[in-house]
Amino acid sequence: MYYSFLLETLPKLLLLQPFLADDLERQVLMWDQPWEDDYLGMLGFNTEQKVKYDPDVVYFATESLLYPSPVVHNEPSLNAMLATRAALNVAVLPAAERGLVIYCKGAANASSAQHVDNEDEIMAAIQTLVIPEDRFVIYDDALSMSAASTIELFEQAKVVIGPHGDGLSNILFSAPGTQVSLKYTLMHATPITVDASIYSAYAPNA
Ligand SMILES: *[C@@H]1O[C@H](CO)[C@@H](O)[C@H](O)[C@H]1NC(C)=O
């Protein structure tokens, strides 16, 4: 859901922004997930404008209904992503300030398709390859970082690794050219493997 929010909903909210910002009578239907308010605030929305969507309720607009262009599921356009980065003031840091190797943890729920059975082993294997050690960061979306901290973290990424899922959506904030190793866990409990080639990109002593 975080993925859809970041890459599909934020671009639509950007289209609505000029019509909604500063007008508390205009409201927007949202899922009311914990991460929403931070991003809405950064885009100039007031959280009082948020209405939690309830599938059992019929909504109607008394004056006008604003409907942004849809963003195709799983295929946000480059323009949509660039506009979102710009609206959130995402910076492209100088290469020297982009040294982090970030592992995005999979789902904790062992029944989830985004769960990785051998995750501890994988993280330990990566850790041994990253020098200095403090450049290795584990991103766990269960820890609910603020939007600002999430953006700041992923701006500093040199390599982002992880199973497909919400955590990896944050590469939206990483600089062009950041190495990304995406592992699909197509079947529940399929262990992911670490592809050594990604590490060759990370040569701290080179
Ligand atoms: C774990 O994941 C399964 C499969 O997606 C789902 O049916 C179940 O509700 C989840 N359990 C929890 C506690 O979230």
Side-chain angles (χ1 to χ4, degrees):
M1 187 163 240
Y2 179 75
Y3 165 86
S4 296
F5 175 75
L6 211 56
L7 287 131
E8 294 165 5
T9 302
L10 287 185
K12 289 190 276 189
L13 288 172
L14 283 182
L15 297 173
L16 295 173
Q17 190 187 35
F19 305 96
L20 267 76
D22 299 328
D23 186 346
L24 292 184
E25 286 190 5
R26 293 193 158 160
Q27 297 186 304
V28 58
L29 286 178
M30 296 296 302
W31 298 289
D32 200 26
Q33 291 295 308
W35 55 76
E36 288 173 4
D37 291 0
D38 258 10
Y39 287 102
L40 288 174
M42 290 170 90
L43 296 182
F45 288 86
N46 188 310
T47 48
E48 285 175 36
Q49 290 173 287
K50 202 170 81 164
V51 176
K52 183 181 179 178
Y53 173 68
D54 177 346
D56 294 328
V57 168
V58 176
Y59 298 89
F60 65 94
T62 51
E63 206 176 282
S64 54
L65 176 67
L66 301 170
Y67 192 85
S69 319
V71 173
V72 181
H73 184 49
N74 286 343
E75 289 178 38
S77 70
L78 179 61
N79 282 344
M81 292 189 281
L82 290 174
T84 306
R85 281 174 62 97
L88 296 171
N89 292 316
V90 175
V92 177
L93 300 179
E97 292 171 35
R98 289 187 264 122
L100 298 184
V101 175
I102 303 174
Y103 181 85
C104 298
K105 283 188 83 164
N109 179 351
S111 309
S112 159
Q114 290 157 5
H115 176 78
V116 180
D117 270 5
N118 60 341
E119 192 155 64
D120 289 343
E121 212 181 299
I122 284 174
M123 291 190 296
I126 298 167
Q127 172 84 75
T128 61
L129 290 159
V130 180
I131 302 165
E133 271 177 35
D134 61 4
R135 289 202 178 174
F136 180 55
V137 178
I138 293 166
Y139 173 84
D140 182 354
D141 55 20
L143 297 180
S144 307
M145 280 169 74
S146 70
S149 308
T150 306
I151 292 171
E152 197 185 333
L153 177 66
F154 282 83
E155 281 174 344
Q156 299 173 70
K158 173 144 186 158
V159 178
V160 183
I161 308 163
H164 82 285
D166 288 347
L168 271 192
S169 320
N170 293 313
I171 57 173
L172 176 65
F173 309 134
S174 298
T178 303
Q179 304 268 332
V180 178
S181 177
L182 161 66
K183 300 297 180 189
Y184 272 98
T185 51
L186 291 177
M187 286 170 57
H188 148 58
T190 303
I192 64 174
T193 53
V194 183
D195 176 355
S197 66
I198 63 155
Y199 303 120
S200 58
Y202 185 73
N205 302 318

